Amino acid sequence: RLLSVLLSRYPVRKVTANFLNVLLQHNRILYFEQIYQSYIRTVDERKGIVTAKVRTAAPLSEREQSTLRESLSRMTGKIVRLDMETDISLLGGLVVQIGSTVYDGSIRKQLAEMRRHLAEG
């Protein structure tokens, strides 16, 4: 019944309405967000799109983001969508995660490497 009210306010295709109805009937509506995210990942994969989670110490300008997106696209051979986040603990530089691969070009990481090399003597 709630679904009928919602669909009258927000019309969707019949197949979508049926899908939502099945989720409700089988007490699976709580999983809708996970199902949706999985669907988006599948569509992106088929279109050759990857999401790069990017953390920077300070916000990047549109031009810097565009340059980064182009570099990552050349590196991956895919269309790159940036998911930007500011993290002042990095001190400078950036950290990029694409899938399970992490590229750490942060000042914090570089300082830790220097500390490790000095400690090893």
Side-chain angles (χ1 to χ4, degrees), residues 23 38-39 63 66 85 95 97 108 119:
L23 289 179
S38 179
Y39 170 76
R63 186 175 189 167
S66 180
E85 179 185 328
V95 177
Q97 179 179 354
R108 182 179 65 192

Side-chain angles (χ1 to χ4, degrees), residues 10-26:
Y10 307 99
V12 296
R13 293 184 178 187
K14 185 172 177 134
V15 68
T16 304
N18 289 341
F19 175 68
L20 292 172
N21 203 20
V22 167
L23 289 179
L24 282 169
Q25 288 174 357
H26 295 279

Side-chain angles (χ1 to χ4, degrees), residues 110-121:
Q110 293 171 18
L111 289 172
E113 286 293 314
M114 286 174 62
R115 209 174 292 121
R116 188 177 62 79
H117 286 293
L118 290 171
E120 290 174 355

